[in-house]
Amino acid sequence: QATLADEMFLLGTLRDGQECSEPFEALWTDSGVAFLRVPGLAEAETRELAAELLGFDIDSTAGEILYRRTLGNPLYARELVRAVSGRAEISPATGIGSLLASSPPGERLIDLVLGRIRGLPREAREILELIALAEPLDLELLSSAVAADVPMQRLLRELEEQALVRSANDPDGRISYSLDHPMQGEVLKTHCPLPMQRDMYRRIADAMDAKGL
């Protein structure tokens, strides 16, 4: 009512594919609040954002690298550029492309990504880590790499509903899973201890061997 009476300015956000609760959906279906879908940035727009943050234009190679790592997510792109510029003196002659390609995510970006998976059941996080290490990961291999009592189908459905993973049908009809964003994979691999990574790689290899792959 306050919004309709111009007494309050209301701004809310919702990720693509994320289920919206009825009270929030009613805001734009019944209460006159405008719904605006905001797509990710195109590659050229990602370069423009970097130029605005740095104070100078970046070349097409650097722009392509930034876009490939962030997929046009403006928040991820901003934090990655800030992380790079915070680690070295940046100028047009620096060769920022190599820095964007090799620089790990900064603390702020890591917090943003990990914030999305905090609170997940341990089994769900393990599924994300397995996918991060070998994406796209065939569903049969993924199922073989986790404990038999893990409710795989339910967890995968929930992870997909939360826009953390996405599924695809291979040409031969098999289903494979990938993380929803490459930055998620970078952060998960960085924060997965090496002994755990080795164990997961071994389990994936064992699953492949059992299926004759």
Side-chain angles (χ1 to χ4, degrees), residues 73-90:
N73 182 306
L75 184 56
Y76 288 176
R78 184 192 70 184
E79 294 304 326
L80 186 58
V81 170
R82 285 181 173 177
V84 169
S85 60
R87 291 191 179 105
E89 290 294 330
I90 303 296

Side-chain angles (χ1 to χ4, degrees), residues 3-4 6 8-14 20 24-38:
T3 305
L4 289 174
D6 290 331
M8 179 177 67
F9 180 81
L10 180 66
L11 175 65
T13 61
L14 184 71
C20 182
F24 283 98
E25 186 175 354
L27 286 173
W28 68 81
T29 57
D30 303 328
S31 301
V33 174
F35 178 83
L36 177 64
R37 185 176 299 279
V38 182

Side-chain angles (χ1 to χ4, degrees), residues 11 26 33 35 37 48 55 72 90 100-101 117 122 134 140 149 151 161-162 173 179-180 189 195 197 204 208 213:
L11 175 65
V33 174
F35 178 83
R37 185 176 299 279
E48 291 176 7
I90 303 296
L100 287 171
I117 64 176
R122 175 58 227 171
E140 290 186 20
D149 61 347
E161 288 172 353
Q162 295 174 57
L179 297 179
D180 190 67
K189 284 183 281 189
Q197 288 191 37
I204 293 170
M208 294 177 69
L213 300 176

Side-chain angles (χ1 to χ4, degrees), residues 178-189:
S178 302
L179 297 179
D180 190 67
H181 196 283
M183 192 58 68
Q184 295 171 355
E186 289 191 40
V187 172
L188 283 169
K189 284 183 281 189

